[in-house]
Amino acid sequence: QVQLMESGGGSVQPGGSLRLSCATTVSVLSINSMGWYRQAPGKEREMVATINRVGTRNYVDSVKGRFTISRDNAGTTVYLQMDALQPEDTAVYFCNARIFSTTGRAAPYWGQGIQVTVSS
């Protein structure tokens, strides 16, 4: 069973920093990509940052230059370093992993979500 264990988050003032972590229990060989999505109240969930099995990173335009996604050497934990946080970054952040099944297709799995609040 795929588990995604999120940590980090919390409340910070504008301009501050936070780091999110997400660890999965599956083998790195089964991971197609990992990343973070977020959902603010009244808005749709959006991709924030992803990193795939070969290390290619993607970011939503609004966080480029402020957020950095990375992973550990084992390839099973992904981090999101968030700097220069703004109130518009306030949302529930969800870890996402696309995991290969025995059929060879990658299916999405989600963490439970973690709150990030940016407020003065």
Side-chain angles (χ1 to χ4, degrees), residues 50-108:
T50 61
I51 182 168
N52 69 11
R53 58 190 294 118
V54 298
T56 302
R57 295 166 171 83
N58 285 304
Y59 298 93
V60 66
D61 285 347
S62 61
V63 308
K64 287 180 179 177
R66 301 189 297 123
F67 291 11
T68 303
I69 191 167
S70 61
R71 61 188 177 195
D72 68 349
N73 289 336
T76 57
T77 299
V78 65
Y79 306 98
L80 185 66
Q81 178 66 40
M82 304 184 291
D83 298 319
L85 282 160
Q86 300 301 319
E88 52 266 35
D89 295 316
T90 296
V92 177
Y93 284 69
F94 295 89
C95 179
N96 169 272
R98 297 187 63 84
I99 307 298
F100 289 115
S101 69
T102 54
T103 65
R105 307 180 86 175

Short mmCIF file of all heavy atoms in Angstrom, two decimals, residues 50-108:
data_model
loop_
_atom_site.label_atom_id
_atom_site.label_comp_id
_atom_site.label_asym_id
_atom_site.label_seq_id
_atom_site.Cartn_x
_atom_site.Cartn_y
_atom_site.Cartn_z
N THR A 50 6.87 19.78 -9.26
CA THR A 50 7.05 18.34 -9.41
C THR A 50 8.48 18.03 -9.81
O THR A 50 9.18 18.88 -10.37
CB THR A 50 6.10 17.74 -10.46
OG1 THR A 50 6.39 18.33 -11.74
CG2 THR A 50 4.64 17.98 -10.11
N ILE A 51 8.89 16.82 -9.50
CA ILE A 51 10.20 16.33 -9.93
C ILE A 51 10.00 14.89 -10.39
O ILE A 51 9.39 14.08 -9.69
CB ILE A 51 11.24 16.45 -8.79
CG1 ILE A 51 12.62 15.98 -9.27
CG2 ILE A 51 10.81 15.71 -7.54
CD1 ILE A 51 13.75 16.35 -8.31
N ASN A 52 10.51 14.58 -11.57
CA ASN A 52 10.28 13.23 -12.09
C ASN A 52 11.48 12.32 -11.85
O ASN A 52 12.49 12.73 -11.24
CB ASN A 52 9.89 13.26 -13.56
CG ASN A 52 11.02 13.69 -14.47
OD1 ASN A 52 12.17 13.79 -14.06
ND2 ASN A 52 10.70 13.94 -15.72
N ARG A 53 11.42 11.11 -12.35
CA ARG A 53 12.41 10.10 -12.01
C ARG A 53 13.80 10.44 -12.55
O ARG A 53 14.78 9.91 -12.02
CB ARG A 53 11.97 8.73 -12.51
CG ARG A 53 11.71 8.66 -14.00
CD ARG A 53 11.04 7.35 -14.37
NE ARG A 53 11.89 6.20 -14.14
CZ ARG A 53 11.63 5.21 -13.29
NH1 ARG A 53 10.53 5.25 -12.55
NH2 ARG A 53 12.44 4.18 -13.15
N VAL A 54 13.88 11.29 -13.54
CA VAL A 54 15.20 11.68 -14.04
C VAL A 54 15.63 13.04 -13.52
O VAL A 54 16.67 13.55 -13.93
CB VAL A 54 15.24 11.65 -15.59
CG1 VAL A 54 14.98 10.25 -16.09
CG2 VAL A 54 14.27 12.66 -16.18
N GLY A 55 14.84 13.60 -12.64
CA GLY A 55 15.23 14.85 -11.99
C GLY A 55 14.73 16.12 -12.64
O GLY A 55 15.11 17.21 -12.21
N THR A 56 13.88 16.01 -13.62
CA THR A 56 13.32 17.20 -14.25
C THR A 56 12.30 17.85 -13.31
O THR A 56 11.41 17.18 -12.80
CB THR A 56 12.63 16.85 -15.57
OG1 THR A 56 13.59 16.23 -16.44
CG2 THR A 56 12.07 18.09 -16.24
N ARG A 57 12.46 19.13 -13.11
CA ARG A 57 11.60 19.88 -12.20
C ARG A 57 10.65 20.79 -12.98
O ARG A 57 11.03 21.38 -13.99
CB ARG A 57 12.44 20.73 -11.25
CG ARG A 57 13.30 19.91 -10.30
CD ARG A 57 14.34 20.79 -9.62
NE ARG A 57 15.04 20.11 -8.55
CZ ARG A 57 16.08 19.30 -8.73
NH1 ARG A 57 16.54 19.06 -9.95
NH2 ARG A 57 16.67 18.73 -7.70
N ASN A 58 9.44 20.92 -12.48
CA ASN A 58 8.46 21.84 -13.04
C ASN A 58 7.85 22.65 -11.91
O ASN A 58 7.61 22.13 -10.81
CB ASN A 58 7.35 21.09 -13.78
CG ASN A 58 7.82 20.58 -15.12
OD1 ASN A 58 8.29 21.34 -15.96
ND2 ASN A 58 7.71 19.28 -15.35
N TYR A 59 7.60 23.92 -12.19
CA TYR A 59 7.02 24.82 -11.20
C TYR A 59 5.89 25.61 -11.83
O TYR A 59 5.95 25.97 -13.01
CB TYR A 59 8.06 25.82 -10.67
CG TYR A 59 9.23 25.22 -9.96
CD1 TYR A 59 10.41 24.92 -10.64
CD2 TYR A 59 9.19 24.97 -8.58
CE1 TYR A 59 11.50 24.38 -10.00
CE2 TYR A 59 10.29 24.44 -7.92
CZ TYR A 59 11.43 24.14 -8.63
OH TYR A 59 12.51 23.61 -7.98
N VAL A 60 4.89 25.92 -11.03
CA VAL A 60 3.89 26.88 -11.48
C VAL A 60 4.57 28.25 -11.52
O VAL A 60 5.45 28.55 -10.71
CB VAL A 60 2.66 26.87 -10.55
CG1 VAL A 60 3.01 27.38 -9.15
CG2 VAL A 60 1.52 27.65 -11.15
N ASP A 61 4.17 29.08 -12.46
CA ASP A 61 4.85 30.36 -12.67
C ASP A 61 4.91 31.21 -11.40
O ASP A 61 5.89 31.91 -11.15
CB ASP A 61 4.17 31.15 -13.78
CG ASP A 61 4.47 30.59 -15.16
OD1 ASP A 61 5.40 29.76 -15.28
OD2 ASP A 61 3.76 30.97 -16.11
N SER A 62 3.88 31.16 -10.60
CA SER A 62 3.78 32.04 -9.44
C SER A 62 4.80 31.74 -8.34
O SER A 62 5.00 32.56 -7.45
CB SER A 62 2.37 31.99 -8.85
OG SER A 62 2.06 30.67 -8.42
N VAL A 63 5.45 30.58 -8.39
CA VAL A 63 6.42 30.24 -7.35
C VAL A 63 7.84 30.17 -7.87
O VAL A 63 8.78 29.96 -7.09
CB VAL A 63 6.07 28.91 -6.64
CG1 VAL A 63 4.62 28.93 -6.15
CG2 VAL A 63 6.32 27.71 -7.54
N LYS A 64 8.02 30.34 -9.16
CA LYS A 64 9.37 30.26 -9.74
C LYS A 64 10.27 31.32 -9.11
O LYS A 64 9.90 32.48 -8.98
CB LYS A 64 9.31 30.44 -11.25
CG LYS A 64 8.73 29.24 -11.98
CD LYS A 64 8.68 29.46 -13.49
CE LYS A 64 8.12 28.25 -14.20
NZ LYS A 64 8.01 28.46 -15.67
N GLY A 65 11.47 30.87 -8.72
CA GLY A 65 12.41 31.77 -8.07
C GLY A 65 12.22 31.87 -6.57
O GLY A 65 13.06 32.45 -5.88
N ARG A 66 11.12 31.33 -6.04
CA ARG A 66 10.86 31.39 -4.60
C ARG A 66 10.82 29.99 -3.98
O ARG A 66 11.25 29.81 -2.84
CB ARG A 66 9.54 32.09 -4.33
CG ARG A 66 9.46 33.51 -4.85
CD ARG A 66 8.20 34.21 -4.35
NE ARG A 66 6.98 33.57 -4.83
CZ ARG A 66 6.02 33.09 -4.04
NH1 ARG A 66 6.13 33.18 -2.72
NH2 ARG A 66 4.92 32.54 -4.55
N PHE A 67 10.31 29.02 -4.70
CA PHE A 67 10.18 27.65 -4.20
C PHE A 67 11.19 26.76 -4.91
O PHE A 67 11.48 26.94 -6.10
CB PHE A 67 8.78 27.10 -4.45
CG PHE A 67 7.69 27.74 -3.65
CD1 PHE A 67 7.87 28.89 -2.90
CD2 PHE A 67 6.42 27.17 -3.63
CE1 PHE A 67 6.86 29.47 -2.16
CE2 PHE A 67 5.38 27.72 -2.90
CZ PHE A 67 5.60 28.88 -2.17
N THR A 68 11.68 25.76 -4.18
CA THR A 68 12.61 24.79 -4.75
C THR A 68 12.19 23.39 -4.33
O THR A 68 12.03 23.12 -3.12
CB THR A 68 14.04 25.05 -4.29
OG1 THR A 68 14.44 26.37 -4.63
CG2 THR A 68 15.00 24.06 -4.94
N ILE A 69 12.03 22.53 -5.30
CA ILE A 69 11.71 21.13 -5.00
C ILE A 69 12.99 20.30 -5.12
O ILE A 69 13.81 20.53 -6.02
CB ILE A 69 10.59 20.58 -5.92
CG1 ILE A 69 10.11 19.22 -5.41
CG2 ILE A 69 11.03 20.53 -7.37
CD1 ILE A 69 8.81 18.76 -6.07
N SER A 70 13.14 19.38 -4.21
CA SER A 70 14.32 18.51 -4.23
C SER A 70 13.94 17.16 -3.64
O SER A 70 12.83 16.99 -3.14
CB SER A 70 15.48 19.14 -3.44
OG SER A 70 15.11 19.31 -2.09
N ARG A 71 14.87 16.22 -3.68
CA ARG A 71 14.60 14.90 -3.10
C ARG A 71 15.87 14.37 -2.46
O ARG A 71 16.97 14.83 -2.74
CB ARG A 71 14.08 13.94 -4.17
CG ARG A 71 15.05 13.69 -5.31
CD ARG A 71 14.41 12.90 -6.41
NE ARG A 71 15.33 12.73 -7.53
CZ ARG A 71 14.95 12.33 -8.73
NH1 ARG A 71 13.67 12.07 -8.98
NH2 ARG A 71 15.84 12.20 -9.70
N ASP A 72 15.69 13.39 -1.59
CA ASP A 72 16.84 12.83 -0.92
C ASP A 72 17.55 11.83 -1.84
O ASP A 72 17.08 11.53 -2.93
CB ASP A 72 16.44 12.17 0.40
CG ASP A 72 15.58 10.92 0.22
OD1 ASP A 72 15.12 10.66 -0.92
OD2 ASP A 72 15.36 10.21 1.21
N ASN A 73 18.70 11.35 -1.39
CA ASN A 73 19.50 10.45 -2.22
C ASN A 73 18.78 9.14 -2.52
O ASN A 73 19.01 8.53 -3.57
CB ASN A 73 20.84 10.16 -1.54
CG ASN A 73 21.76 11.36 -1.55
OD1 ASN A 73 21.63 12.24 -2.40
ND2 ASN A 73 22.68 11.43 -0.60
N ALA A 74 17.93 8.72 -1.61
CA ALA A 74 17.19 7.48 -1.84
C ALA A 74 16.08 7.65 -2.86
O ALA A 74 15.57 6.67 -3.41
CB ALA A 74 16.60 6.98 -0.52
N GLY A 75 15.71 8.90 -3.09
CA GLY A 75 14.66 9.18 -4.07
C GLY A 75 13.26 8.93 -3.58
O GLY A 75 12.32 8.94 -4.37
N THR A 76 13.10 8.73 -2.27
CA THR A 76 11.78 8.42 -1.74
C THR A 76 11.22 9.52 -0.85
O THR A 76 10.11 9.39 -0.34
CB THR A 76 11.82 7.10 -0.95
OG1 THR A 76 12.80 7.20 0.09
CG2 THR A 76 12.18 5.94 -1.88
N THR A 77 11.96 10.59 -0.66
CA THR A 77 11.48 11.74 0.09
C THR A 77 11.67 12.98 -0.75
O THR A 77 12.74 13.19 -1.32
CB THR A 77 12.22 11.90 1.42
OG1 THR A 77 12.00 10.73 2.23
CG2 THR A 77 11.71 13.12 2.19
N VAL A 78 10.63 13.77 -0.84
CA VAL A 78 10.70 15.00 -1.61
C VAL A 78 10.49 16.17 -0.67
O VAL A 78 9.73 16.08 0.30
CB VAL A 78 9.67 14.99 -2.76
CG1 VAL A 78 8.24 14.98 -2.24
CG2 VAL A 78 9.89 16.15 -3.70
N TYR A 79 11.19 17.25 -0.95
CA TYR A 79 11.12 18.45 -0.13
C TYR A 79 10.64 19.62 -0.98
O TYR A 79 10.93 19.69 -2.18
CB TYR A 79 12.49 18.78 0.44
CG TYR A 79 13.13 17.64 1.21
CD1 TYR A 79 14.08 16.83 0.60
CD2 TYR A 79 12.78 17.38 2.53
CE1 TYR A 79 14.66 15.77 1.28
CE2 TYR A 79 13.37 16.33 3.22
CZ TYR A 79 14.31 15.53 2.59
OH TYR A 79 14.88 14.49 3.27
N LEU A 80 9.96 20.54 -0.34
CA LEU A 80 9.60 21.80 -0.98
C LEU A 80 10.05 22.92 -0.08
O LEU A 80 9.46 23.16 0.97
CB LEU A 80 8.10 21.89 -1.23
CG LEU A 80 7.65 23.12 -2.02
CD1 LEU A 80 8.19 23.07 -3.45
CD2 LEU A 80 6.12 23.26 -2.04
N GLN A 81 11.12 23.57 -0.48
CA GLN A 81 11.62 24.74 0.24
C GLN A 81 10.88 25.96 -0.29
O GLN A 81 10.95 26.25 -1.49
CB GLN A 81 13.12 24.90 0.04
CG GLN A 81 13.70 26.13 0.71
CD GLN A 81 13.63 26.06 2.23
OE1 GLN A 81 13.85 25.01 2.82
NE2 GLN A 81 13.31 27.19 2.85
N MET A 82 10.18 26.64 0.60
CA MET A 82 9.37 27.78 0.20
C MET A 82 9.94 29.03 0.85
O MET A 82 9.93 29.16 2.09
CB MET A 82 7.92 27.57 0.63
CG MET A 82 7.31 26.28 0.08
SD MET A 82 5.56 26.09 0.49
CE MET A 82 5.67 25.84 2.26
N ASP A 83 10.46 29.92 0.05
CA ASP A 83 11.02 31.19 0.52
C ASP A 83 10.19 32.35 0.01
O ASP A 83 9.41 32.20 -0.93
CB ASP A 83 12.47 31.32 0.04
CG ASP A 83 13.38 30.23 0.58
OD1 ASP A 83 13.23 29.88 1.78
OD2 ASP A 83 14.22 29.72 -0.18
N ALA A 84 10.38 33.50 0.62
CA ALA A 84 9.66 34.71 0.23
C ALA A 84 8.16 34.44 0.14
O ALA A 84 7.50 34.83 -0.83
CB ALA A 84 10.20 35.26 -1.08
N LEU A 85 7.64 33.78 1.14
CA LEU A 85 6.22 33.42 1.12
C LEU A 85 5.33 34.65 1.15
O LEU A 85 5.66 35.66 1.81
CB LEU A 85 5.90 32.50 2.30
CG LEU A 85 6.33 31.04 2.10
CD1 LEU A 85 6.44 30.32 3.44
CD2 LEU A 85 5.36 30.33 1.19
N GLN A 86 4.23 34.55 0.43
CA GLN A 86 3.27 35.65 0.33
C GLN A 86 1.90 35.14 0.78
O GLN A 86 1.62 33.94 0.76
CB GLN A 86 3.21 36.15 -1.10
CG GLN A 86 4.54 36.68 -1.62
CD GLN A 86 5.06 37.84 -0.77
OE1 GLN A 86 4.30 38.71 -0.36
NE2 GLN A 86 6.36 37.83 -0.49
N PRO A 87 1.01 36.05 1.17
CA PRO A 87 -0.32 35.62 1.60
C PRO A 87 -1.04 34.75 0.58
O PRO A 87 -1.80 33.85 0.95
CB PRO A 87 -1.04 36.95 1.83
CG PRO A 87 0.05 37.89 2.23
CD PRO A 87 1.23 37.49 1.38
N GLU A 88 -0.78 35.00 -0.70
CA GLU A 88 -1.44 34.20 -1.73
C GLU A 88 -0.93 32.77 -1.81
O GLU A 88 -1.49 31.94 -2.54
CB GLU A 88 -1.31 34.87 -3.10
CG GLU A 88 0.10 35.24 -3.49
CD GLU A 88 0.44 36.68 -3.13
OE1 GLU A 88 -0.04 37.18 -2.09
OE2 GLU A 88 1.23 37.29 -3.89
N ASP A 89 0.12 32.46 -1.06
CA ASP A 89 0.60 31.08 -0.97
C ASP A 89 -0.18 30.28 0.07
O ASP A 89 0.03 29.07 0.20
CB ASP A 89 2.09 31.05 -0.62
CG ASP A 89 2.97 31.67 -1.69
OD1 ASP A 89 2.74 31.38 -2.88
OD2 ASP A 89 3.87 32.46 -1.33
N THR A 90 -1.02 30.95 0.81
CA THR A 90 -1.82 30.27 1.82
C THR A 90 -2.73 29.23 1.18
O THR A 90 -3.49 29.54 0.26
CB THR A 90 -2.67 31.27 2.61
OG1 THR A 90 -1.80 32.16 3.34
CG2 THR A 90 -3.59 30.57 3.60
N ALA A 91 -2.62 28.01 1.64
CA ALA A 91 -3.40 26.91 1.05
C ALA A 91 -3.11 25.63 1.82
O ALA A 91 -2.21 25.60 2.68
CB ALA A 91 -3.04 26.72 -0.41
N VAL A 92 -3.88 24.62 1.51
CA VAL A 92 -3.53 23.27 1.94
C VAL A 92 -2.66 22.67 0.85
O VAL A 92 -3.03 22.66 -0.32
CB VAL A 92 -4.78 22.40 2.18
CG1 VAL A 92 -4.37 20.98 2.56
CG2 VAL A 92 -5.66 23.01 3.27
N TYR A 93 -1.50 22.20 1.25
CA TYR A 93 -0.54 21.62 0.31
C TYR A 93 -0.62 20.10 0.38
O TYR A 93 -0.59 19.52 1.48
CB TYR A 93 0.87 22.11 0.64
CG TYR A 93 1.11 23.53 0.21
CD1 TYR A 93 0.46 24.59 0.85
CD2 TYR A 93 1.97 23.82 -0.85
CE1 TYR A 93 0.66 25.89 0.44
CE2 TYR A 93 2.18 25.13 -1.26
CZ TYR A 93 1.52 26.16 -0.61
OH TYR A 93 1.72 27.46 -1.02
N PHE A 94 -0.71 19.48 -0.78
CA PHE A 94 -0.85 18.03 -0.87
C PHE A 94 0.37 17.44 -1.57
O PHE A 94 0.75 17.89 -2.66
CB PHE A 94 -2.10 17.65 -1.66
CG PHE A 94 -3.39 18.06 -1.02
CD1 PHE A 94 -3.93 19.31 -1.27
CD2 PHE A 94 -4.06 17.20 -0.17
CE1 PHE A 94 -5.13 19.70 -0.68
CE2 PHE A 94 -5.26 17.57 0.42
CZ PHE A 94 -5.79 18.83 0.16
N CYS A 95 0.93 16.43 -0.96
CA CYS A 95 1.98 15.67 -1.63
C CYS A 95 1.33 14.74 -2.65
O CYS A 95 0.27 14.14 -2.39
CB CYS A 95 2.77 14.86 -0.62
SG CYS A 95 4.10 13.86 -1.33
N ASN A 96 1.97 14.62 -3.79
CA ASN A 96 1.48 13.74 -4.84
C ASN A 96 2.62 12.85 -5.32
O ASN A 96 3.75 13.30 -5.44
CB ASN A 96 0.94 14.57 -6.01
CG ASN A 96 0.66 13.74 -7.24
OD1 ASN A 96 1.54 13.52 -8.08
ND2 ASN A 96 -0.56 13.25 -7.34
N ALA A 97 2.29 11.62 -5.56
CA ALA A 97 3.26 10.69 -6.15
C ALA A 97 2.57 9.89 -7.24
O ALA A 97 1.42 9.44 -7.06
CB ALA A 97 3.83 9.76 -5.10
N ARG A 98 3.24 9.74 -8.34
CA ARG A 98 2.74 8.89 -9.42
C ARG A 98 3.56 7.61 -9.39
O ARG A 98 4.78 7.64 -9.62
CB ARG A 98 2.82 9.59 -10.76
CG ARG A 98 1.94 10.84 -10.83
CD ARG A 98 1.90 11.43 -12.24
NE ARG A 98 1.32 10.51 -13.19
CZ ARG A 98 0.02 10.38 -13.41
NH1 ARG A 98 -0.85 11.09 -12.71
NH2 ARG A 98 -0.44 9.52 -14.31
N ILE A 99 2.86 6.53 -9.09
CA ILE A 99 3.51 5.26 -8.81
C ILE A 99 3.15 4.25 -9.91
O ILE A 99 1.96 4.11 -10.26
CB ILE A 99 3.08 4.71 -7.45
CG1 ILE A 99 3.30 5.76 -6.34
CG2 ILE A 99 3.83 3.42 -7.13
CD1 ILE A 99 4.74 6.17 -6.15
N PHE A 100 4.18 3.57 -10.42
CA PHE A 100 3.93 2.55 -11.42
C PHE A 100 3.27 1.33 -10.79
O PHE A 100 3.66 0.87 -9.73
CB PHE A 100 5.24 2.11 -12.07
CG PHE A 100 5.86 3.14 -12.96
CD1 PHE A 100 7.07 3.73 -12.64
CD2 PHE A 100 5.23 3.53 -14.13
CE1 PHE A 100 7.65 4.67 -13.47
CE2 PHE A 100 5.79 4.47 -14.97
CZ PHE A 100 7.01 5.04 -14.64
N SER A 101 2.27 0.82 -11.49
CA SER A 101 1.64 -0.43 -11.07
C SER A 101 2.25 -1.59 -11.86
O SER A 101 3.12 -1.38 -12.71
CB SER A 101 0.13 -0.38 -11.31
OG SER A 101 -0.13 -0.39 -12.72
N THR A 102 1.77 -2.80 -11.60
CA THR A 102 2.29 -3.96 -12.30
C THR A 102 1.95 -3.92 -13.79
O THR A 102 2.57 -4.61 -14.60
CB THR A 102 1.75 -5.25 -11.68
OG1 THR A 102 0.32 -5.19 -11.65
CG2 THR A 102 2.27 -5.42 -10.25
N THR A 103 0.97 -3.09 -14.16
CA THR A 103 0.60 -2.96 -15.58
C THR A 103 1.53 -2.02 -16.32
O THR A 103 1.46 -1.90 -17.54
CB THR A 103 -0.84 -2.44 -15.72
OG1 THR A 103 -0.90 -1.10 -15.21
CG2 THR A 103 -1.82 -3.32 -14.96
N GLY A 104 2.39 -1.29 -15.55
CA GLY A 104 3.29 -0.34 -16.18
C GLY A 104 2.74 1.07 -16.24
O GLY A 104 3.44 1.99 -16.67
N ARG A 105 1.49 1.24 -15.85
CA ARG A 105 0.90 2.58 -15.86
C ARG A 105 1.12 3.24 -14.50
O ARG A 105 1.12 2.57 -13.47
CB ARG A 105 -0.59 2.51 -16.18
CG ARG A 105 -0.89 1.74 -17.46
CD ARG A 105 -2.37 1.68 -17.75
NE ARG A 105 -2.82 2.85 -18.48
CZ ARG A 105 -4.06 3.00 -18.95
NH1 ARG A 105 -4.96 2.09 -18.70
NH2 ARG A 105 -4.39 4.07 -19.62
N ALA A 106 1.29 4.55 -14.51
CA ALA A 106 1.52 5.30 -13.27
C ALA A 106 0.21 5.89 -12.77
O ALA A 106 -0.50 6.56 -13.52
CB ALA A 106 2.54 6.41 -13.51
N ALA A 107 -0.10 5.61 -11.53
CA ALA A 107 -1.34 6.12 -10.92
C ALA A 107 -1.00 7.15 -9.84
O ALA A 107 0.04 7.04 -9.17
CB ALA A 107 -2.12 4.97 -10.30
N PRO A 108 -1.84 8.16 -9.68
CA PRO A 108 -1.58 9.20 -8.68
C PRO A 108 -2.02 8.78 -7.28
O PRO A 108 -3.06 8.16 -7.11
CB PRO A 108 -2.41 10.38 -9.17
CG PRO A 108 -3.56 9.75 -9.88
CD PRO A 108 -3.03 8.48 -10.49
#
